[in-house]
């Protein structure tokens, strides 16, 4: 293997794509790794092989368990060599191979030897490796050495121990916490990075003790922290302390402000910036406090370094949202950044200017942006569009020039997202600025004349149908709309037909002409277009019932489309026609909110976001297929499955509670996890002695339950009609078990009766509540009115934090949180949460919860309920009072 | 943990966006394909910019990326969206300069691959599990170089064969000069 690996000769200059790893193969390298076993080790050769292995791993190659183990064992042999360079590579590859616990034992002694070695490099690296691969048990053995290492006079060793401590704190907090004394000593270290690492660890050890953090911060802000990184940390801790104490101390001066301001004069740029940013993010920062921070950020704006300009403009952009006046001083510097080479900086500068600009500067700014727009990417353009939209809402008088700008860029090339952002903006402007309506609608009309996106065309047509008839001269839009019927695809044509019908319904003078146009559509090639034309001709032609027709054309559909689709699919043609009221209204909310969604999506066009699929229809179908339950009426709600057995037991059973108006059905989903058994005649014996209002009416056994193929058995109870009865049920699984011969899969003839105890099951108040969201809580709340409002206050006692209390109440009530109010910002001391739902008997309920935390984690809650029925409002209070 | 400056990854790519050495310190990219997708996106986004004199910066997918190019090598350091950009730039500069020192001024892809062990050790010395270990290029390069230059322990501690091997190596080196 005499390849010129690591040799620094220039033999290969002529070859353009020469690489020492050309044609490298995992198998061959694994073969090569046998040199690790040689009795006479060649350190250089071994280093080369390790580098190759690392190269493979780095390129995304994976080793099988066997391969990794083999390499790992071979590598451990290399501890015999005393070559420093090779040892370094050994450390790195051990970390990359991340050996399993039983493998770790092999290297433990070697690493522990290195940890106590005289060579600093050995000590530092052995600590890092050992702490990364070890588990808690070993940690107690090496703890003594780690404590020594933290105060080692070699800074590299101390840092290695401290950083390892930071990682270990996640898994073994109780051990690391014992090191506080040493860590505290290390904070005083003269080595910059040791101080940084020690401070980070010390803070993490104490982070749950607010008083200790406070003390730590106050003492350090007075002393001198040498390392810029440590200083940045201290600034972060300081602002955290300030944030948390803000609501407690209302006395004049802000603690630590002087420290932050002093940091603005630090010599390291990272500290200056960290401090400036911290000041801008202070709660309720005053303009006097802001000024010095803005001044240093302004200096950064004209720096030659792109990173500084970016950091400054990004921070100022954020400040401009809340304190636009404070940022206006920077406008001149900002304007010169519009032509910045770095497009991210330019975009941020533009959007900042749009936020801080005053009415007189709008026109000039728009001119600058027009030249800028052509050479940036779509994603930046969208940011600019959004900024222009808010600018226009701020200065409605400027709508003409801004609308012109939007229509101009609408005509230029661009992708769907970009065009959609523009259209959304125009729609919002039309909605909010009455003067902009007519010109805006015409811009949209022109746009659909030449629009390649079906989605946008149909959305605009829909919007035209609502807004167009209300304008002073509706007739001028007809031409644009009818052109679509000639020139577009079927989807757009159908949309155009609906829009025409809306004009006909709203504007009597246009009605005869609309009729002519609709009749022409009767000869369209597409079914949907013809159907719509026929339908509208019929409804518009009918005398009277104008209100019904308007309701039909303009009314909104309050049923989730997904549910409607399911119900229609389940519907079988029969004498009885499809009843839209039978469609369930509950929306299953996806458990995981999309956290990574970039910013808020503008809600310009279109209805609510499509609802995720629900399982309720599947249940409905299943239950209605069972004759015993067929007369229970409409299914109100099905709960999520509740486990009645521990994980990995012989039989796995969970239950779904189906709530009907006068009945409750328990659906037991059973799985047999024993291959040698076949269960027959499976039933659940339910003892309802702790559920007085319930009476068992039917039970549907499961005839056979073979291994690993789930089956269901049902038990039904009668309960008082429309009453949210609650109770506890204990369950016993009863069945006949038959032995199965695993080789043939055949069951014996004789079985034995057996029982299996399941966990208890409860029907709670939340089972009678449907999660139904409302899009605008405030409107819904106002329109519900205070007639049936019930307000009361509750003491929730000590809680871990607000978020936990909020979640507990939401779960107790089983209602749908609205407008994202279920999320509690960390460290907040009060929170308002909005809930909505439908209670059994189809009563809409809205709840407003106000939480406050005071003193030692005592949570108090004010509960305001509005509903269509007083009794229901009271019932909600009862749920909370008894929960 | 969230208050401490954290590095999400450090990348060294070539002029076609292929990996030379990369190190990820975050679970944001659990699979190799996720990592490759990220590298591809970063490369495509920065490719046309001129980051040869000063470090440049961009933001996408809620990450802040600082980067610098030399010859056919592209250096990147990624942090979370709220990370102090200047700290990220300091890490980038440390990595960039340390590689320059270790490759003795000839900083290009070929040299980097031939000395991949140095680059990997360099990465190992800059960041540990996302926490910054060192940003001073001289210190980083010093730690990497100090033990890769000579063959380690003093002669008295080596076995006879090892000593012979070392001596032979020294001899060949001096002959080849």
């Amino acid at each position: 293997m005499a390849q010129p690996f690591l040799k620094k000769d220039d033999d290969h200059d002529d070859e353009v794509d020469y690489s020492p790893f050309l044609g490298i193969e995992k198998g061959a390298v694994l073969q090569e790794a046998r040199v690790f076993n040689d009795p006479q080790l060649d350190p250089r050769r071994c280093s080369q092989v390790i580098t190759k292995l690392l190269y493979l791993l780095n390129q995304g190659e994976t080793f099988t368990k066997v391969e990794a183990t083999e390499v790992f064992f071979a590598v451990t042999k290399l501890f015999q060599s005393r070559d420093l360079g090779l040892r370094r590579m050994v450390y790195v590859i051990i970390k990359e191979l991340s050996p399993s616990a039983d493998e770790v034992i092999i290297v433990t002694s070697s690493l522990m030897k290195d940890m106590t070695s005289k060579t600093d490099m050995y000590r530092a690296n052995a600590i890092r490796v050992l702490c990364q691969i070890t588990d808690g048990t070993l940690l107690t053995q090496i703890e003594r050495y780690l404590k020594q290492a933290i105060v080692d006079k070699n800074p590299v060793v101390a840092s290695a121990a401290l950083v390892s401590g930071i990682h270990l704190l996640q898994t073994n907090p109780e051990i690391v916490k014992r090191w506080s004394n040493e860590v505290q000593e290390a904070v005083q270290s003269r080595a910059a990075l040791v101080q940084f690492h020690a401070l980070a660890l010390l803070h993490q050890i104490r982070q749950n003790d607010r008083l200790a953090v406070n003390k730590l911060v106050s003492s350090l802000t007075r002393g001198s922290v040498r390392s810029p990184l440590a200083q940045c940390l201290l600034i972060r801790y300081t602002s955290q302390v300030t944030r948390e104490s803000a609501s407690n101390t209302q006395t004049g001066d802000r603690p630590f402000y002087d420290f932050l301001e002093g940091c603005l004069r630090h010599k390291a740029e990272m500290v200056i910036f960290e401090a400036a940013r911290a000041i801008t993010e202070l709660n309720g920062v005053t303009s006097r406090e802001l000024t010095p921070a803005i001044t240093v950020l302004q200096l950064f704006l004209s720096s030659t370094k792109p990173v500084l300009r970016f950091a400054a403009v990004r921070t100022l952009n954020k400040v401009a949202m809340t304190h636009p006046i404070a940022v206006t001083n920077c406008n001149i510097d900002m304007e010169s950044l519009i032509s910045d080479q770095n497009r991210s900086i330019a975009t941020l500068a533009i959007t900042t200017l749009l936020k801080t600009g005053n009415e007189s500067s709008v026109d000039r700014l728009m001119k600058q942006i027009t030249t800028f727009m052509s050479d940036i990417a779509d994603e930046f353009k969208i940011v600019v569009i959004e900024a222009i939209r808010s600018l226009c809402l701020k200065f409605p008088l400027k709508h003409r020039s801004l609308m012109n700008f939007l229509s101009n860029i609408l005509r230029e090339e661009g992708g769907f997202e970009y065009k959609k952002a523009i259209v959304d903006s125009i729609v919002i402007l039309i909605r909010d600025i009455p003067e902009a309506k007519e010109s805006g609608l015409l811009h949209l009309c022109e746009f659909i004349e030449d629009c390649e996106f079906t989605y946008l065309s149909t959305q605009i047509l829909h919007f035209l149908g609502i807004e167009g008839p209300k304008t002073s001269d509706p007739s001028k839009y007809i031409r644009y709309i009818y052109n679509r019927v000639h020139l577009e695809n079927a989807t757009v044509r159908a949309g155009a037909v609906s829009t025409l019908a809306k004009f006909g319904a709203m504007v009597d003078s246009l009605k005869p002409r609309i009729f002519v146009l609709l009749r022409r559509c009767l000869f369209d090639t597409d079914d949907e277009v013809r159907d719509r034309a026929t339908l509208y001709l019929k409804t518009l032609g009918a005398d009277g019932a104008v209100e019904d027709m308007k309701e039909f054309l303009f009314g909104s559909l309050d049923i989730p489309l997904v549910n409607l689709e399911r119900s229609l699919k389940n519907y079988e043609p029969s004498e009885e026609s499809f009843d839209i009221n039978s469609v369930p209204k509950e929306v299953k909310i996806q458990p995981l909110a999309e956290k990574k969604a970039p910013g808020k999506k503008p809600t310009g066009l279109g209805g609510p976001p499509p609802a995720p699929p629900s399982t309720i229809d599947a249940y409905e179908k299943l239950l209605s297929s069972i004759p015993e339950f067929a007369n229970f009426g409409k299914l109100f709600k099905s709960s999520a499955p509740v486990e009645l057995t521990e994980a990995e037991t012989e039989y796995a059973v969970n239950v779904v509670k189906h709530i009907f108006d006068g009945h409750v059905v328990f659906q037991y989903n059973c799985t047999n996890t024993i291959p040698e058994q076949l269960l027959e005649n499976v039933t659940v014996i339910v003892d309802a002695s702790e559920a007085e209002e319930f009476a068992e009416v039917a039970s549907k056994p499961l005839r056979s339950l073979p291994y690993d193929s789930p089956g269901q058995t049902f038990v039904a109870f009668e309960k008082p009609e429309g009453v949210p009865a609650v109770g506890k049920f204990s369950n016993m699984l009863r069945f006949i078990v038959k032995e199965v011969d695993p080789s043939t899969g055949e069951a014996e003839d004789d079985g034995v009766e057996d029982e299996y105890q399941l966990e208890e099951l409860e029907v709670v108040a939340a089972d009678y509540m449907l999660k139904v969201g409302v899009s605008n809580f405030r409107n819904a709340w106002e329109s519900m009115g205070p007639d049936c409002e019930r307000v009361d206050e509750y003491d929730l006692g000590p809680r871990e934090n607000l978020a936990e209390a909020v979640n507990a109440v939401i779960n107790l009530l089983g209602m749908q949180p609205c407008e994202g109010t279920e999320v509690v910002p960390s460290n907040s001391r009060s929170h308002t949460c909005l809930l909505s739902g439908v209670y059994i008997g189809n009563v809409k309920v809205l709840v407003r919860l106000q939480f406050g935390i005071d003193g030692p984690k005592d949570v108090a809650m004010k509960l305001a309920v509005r509903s269509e029925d007083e009794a229901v409002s009271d019932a909600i209070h009862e749920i909370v009072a008894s929960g | 943990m969230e208050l401490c400056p954290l590095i999400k990854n450090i990348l060294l790519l070539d002029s076609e966006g292929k990996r030379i050495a990369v190190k990820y310190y975050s679970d944001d990219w659990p699979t190799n394909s996720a990592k490759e997708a990220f590298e591809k996106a970063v490369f495509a986004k920065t490719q046309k910019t001129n980051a040869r004199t000063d470090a440049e910066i961009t933001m996408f997918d809620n990450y802040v990326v600082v980067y610098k190019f030399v010859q056919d090598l592209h250096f990147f350091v990624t942090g979370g969206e709220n990370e102090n950009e200047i700290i990220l730039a300091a890490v980038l500069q440390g990595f960039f300069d340390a590689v320059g020192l270790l490759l003795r001024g000839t900083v290009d892809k070929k040299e980097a691959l031939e000395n991949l062990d140095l680059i990997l050790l360099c990465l190992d010395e800059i960041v540990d599990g996302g926490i910054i270990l060192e940003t001073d290029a001289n210190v980083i390069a010093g730690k990497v170089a100090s033990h890769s230059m000579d063959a380690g322990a003093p002669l008295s501690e080596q076995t006879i064969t090892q000593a012979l091997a070392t001596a032979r190596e020294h001899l060949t080196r001096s002959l080849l000069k």
Side-chain angles (χ1 to χ4, degrees), chain A residues 557-846:
Chain A
L557 190 66
D558 59 347
I559 299 164
L561 283 180
V562 182
N563 294 4
L564 180 61
E565 189 189 343
R566 288 279 170 95
S567 299
L568 281 171
K569 274 185 188 155
N570 292 347
Y571 172 74
E572 276 155 28
S574 64
E575 285 298 298
E576 212 176 316
S577 60
F578 181 75
D579 180 10
I580 198 158
N581 292 323
S582 69
V583 180
K585 291 181 181 170
E586 180 166 27
V587 181
K588 269 258 167 73
I589 294 300
Q590 268 170 325
L592 281 173
E594 285 170 60
K595 206 180 140 202
K596 287 260 157 163
K600 275 168 247 137
K601 284 267 179 280
T603 47
L605 290 163
S614 75
T615 51
I616 189 158
D617 302 275
Y619 285 141
E620 200 173 9
K621 201 172 177 185
L622 177 71
L623 292 172
S624 59
S625 68
I626 300 167
E628 286 94 328
F629 310 144
N631 59 349
F632 286 179
K634 183 173 167 279
L635 176 62
F636 177 73
K637 178 180 179 171
S638 300
S639 75
V642 182
E643 295 297 333
L644 296 182
T645 51
E646 305 276 331
E648 292 168 32
T649 44
E650 299 97 306
Y651 315 110
V653 180
N654 66 40
V655 65
V656 177
K657 297 173 270 185
H658 299 290
I659 311 287
F660 292 85
D661 210 25
H663 296 88
V664 175
V665 175
F666 297 142
Q667 173 187 336
Y668 297 91
N669 300 312
C670 313
T671 312
N672 170 11
T673 63
I674 306 176
E676 297 83 15
Q677 285 191 359
L678 168 73
L679 307 189
E680 285 187 349
N681 208 11
V682 183
T683 52
V684 177
I685 308 300
V686 184
D687 173 9
S689 54
E690 282 184 75
E692 288 157 6
E693 290 174 278
F694 294 83
E696 186 169 333
V697 288
S699 165
K700 185 165 168 35
L702 175 63
R703 202 167 320 139
S704 124
L705 182 64
Y707 164 65
D708 206 25
S709 87
Q712 298 101 21
T713 160
F714 299 84
V715 181
F717 287 85
E718 198 168 34
K719 69 171 189 61
E721 193 105 346
V723 172
V726 296
K728 248 188 211 165
F729 302 83
S730 56
N731 307 293
M732 175 80 80
L733 194 66
R734 183 172 291 169
F735 45 83
I736 295 166
V737 55
K738 289 184 174 173
E739 295 288 322
V740 173
D741 184 342
S743 53
T744 60
E746 274 175 41
E748 285 174 19
D749 290 340
D750 303 326
V752 189
E753 191 158 308
D754 201 357
E755 283 180 349
Y756 188 79
Q757 183 69 46
L758 302 176
E759 279 174 35
E760 277 189 353
L761 146 75
E762 258 189 288
V763 172
V764 294
D767 288 328
Y768 297 99
M769 180 69 80
L770 278 182
K771 285 189 175 186
V772 177
V774 291
S775 54
N776 186 333
F777 188 88
R778 200 195 162 90
N779 275 0
W781 181 264
E782 295 301 333
S783 63
M784 190 81 85
D787 302 343
C788 301
E789 178 169 320
R790 289 286 183 276
V791 186
D792 206 350
E793 284 178 19
Y794 297 88
D795 183 9
L796 302 184
R799 296 279 170 162
E800 193 55 38
N801 55 37
L802 261 191
E804 190 245 305
V806 172
N807 271 333
V809 177
I810 293 176
N811 288 338
L812 181 65
L813 292 176
M815 296 176 74
Q816 175 66 45
C818 300
E819 298 169 17
T821 53
E822 73 274 28
V823 183
V824 183
S826 58
N827 297 323
S828 59
R829 320 268 315 160
S830 65
H831 184 73
T832 300
C833 180
L834 309 172
L835 304 175
S836 95
V838 170
Y839 202 56
I840 191 157
N842 258 339
V843 184
K844 271 190 195 148
V845 184
L846 297 172

Side-chain angles (χ1 to χ4, degrees), chain B residues 99-155:
Chain B
V99 170
L101 288 169
L102 289 167
L103 300 185
R104 303 211 191 92
T106 359
V107 187
D108 58 22
K109 178 186 174 185
K110 174 170 165 283
E111 203 68 18
L113 281 173
E114 285 185 352
N115 294 286
L116 190 70
D117 52 342
L118 301 186
I119 309 267
L120 292 171
L121 289 177
C122 191
L123 284 172
D124 188 54
E125 290 293 354
I126 295 174
V127 172
D128 182 301
I131 297 170
I132 300 165
L133 273 182
E134 180 59 77
T135 57
D136 184 327
N138 286 308
V139 179
I140 299 166
K143 281 202 267 181
V144 172
S146 66
H147 26 76
S148 64
M149 300 306 276
D150 62 40
L155 279 176

Side-chain angles (χ1 to χ4, degrees), chain A residues 141-304:
Chain A
Q141 284 181 53
I142 57 170
E143 191 186 353
R144 188 161 58 90
Y145 304 113
L146 288 174
K147 278 162 103 171
Q148 267 170 26
I150 288 173
V151 289
D152 197 295
K153 61 183 184 306
N154 183 300
V156 182
V157 177
S159 279
L162 288 163
V163 172
S164 300
I166 296 175
H167 296 314
L168 289 171
L169 193 64
Q170 314 298 322
T171 50
N172 296 286
E174 63 299 328
I175 295 181
V176 180
K177 278 180 182 161
R178 294 201 290 254
W179 309 346
S180 322
N181 284 339
E182 285 78 10
V183 179
Q184 202 147 16
E185 199 180 324
V187 172
Q188 305 303 328
S189 164
R190 261 191 291 196
L193 281 142
V194 174
Q195 196 173 41
F196 164 58
H197 295 133
L199 183 55
L201 180 54
L202 191 60
H203 178 263
Q204 272 180 45
I205 290 176
R206 296 188 175 167
Q207 61 184 349
N208 292 323
D209 182 350
R210 203 181 281 189
L211 208 67
V213 172
N214 222 320
K215 231 170 97 185
L216 173 72
V217 169
S218 344
S219 73
L220 285 173
T221 48
R222 280 196 297 274
S224 62
V225 172
R226 278 173 211 87
S227 139
L229 277 171
Q231 192 79 354
C232 286
L233 269 188
L234 189 54
I235 292 171
R236 290 183 189 186
Y237 300 156
T238 316
S239 23
Q240 190 195 29
V241 168
T242 320
R243 254 198 311 279
E244 285 172 355
S245 61
S247 51
N248 295 339
T249 54
Q250 295 294 341
T251 48
D253 272 354
R254 203 186 285 275
F256 302 120
Y257 178 78
D258 290 341
F259 164 72
L260 291 179
E261 208 228 321
C263 288
L264 295 175
R265 293 183 290 277
H266 198 275
K267 54 185 188 304
E269 281 159 347
M270 68 170 76
V271 176
I272 300 175
F273 173 67
E274 189 73 48
R277 192 170 68 162
I279 291 178
T280 65
E281 285 169 359
L282 289 174
N283 278 339
V285 64
T286 64
S287 44
R288 195 173 57 87
E289 288 170 321
L290 264 180
T291 313
I294 302 286
T295 312
V296 298
L297 290 174
Q298 190 176 358
L299 284 175
F300 279 10
L301 287 181
S302 45
S303 160
T304 55

Side-chain angles (χ1 to χ4, degrees), chain B residues 5-38:
Chain B
L6 286 179
I7 305 298
K8 299 260 184 190
N9 65 44
I10 301 183
L11 315 175
L12 177 56
L13 307 180
D14 72 5
S15 54
E16 285 159 14
K18 288 209 207 79
R19 267 182 206 173
I20 294 187
V22 298
K23 188 81 188 145
Y24 286 80
Y25 308 101
S26 147
D27 301 332
D28 296 6
W29 304 274
T31 61
N32 189 48
S33 49
K35 292 179 177 133
E36 279 173 347
F38 178 79

Side-chain angles (χ1 to χ4, degrees), chain A residues 420-451:
Chain A
K420 183 167 179 298
I422 303 174
V423 171
D424 283 347
S425 296
I426 294 181
V427 166
I428 288 173
L429 297 187
I430 291 173
R431 202 175 282 164
D432 291 0
I433 308 172
E435 302 83 48
K437 187 193 264 186
E438 305 247 331
S439 69
L441 286 178
L442 277 178
H443 287 315
L444 291 178
C445 284
E446 275 165 29
F447 174 60
I448 53 172
E449 292 274 78
D450 184 24
C451 171

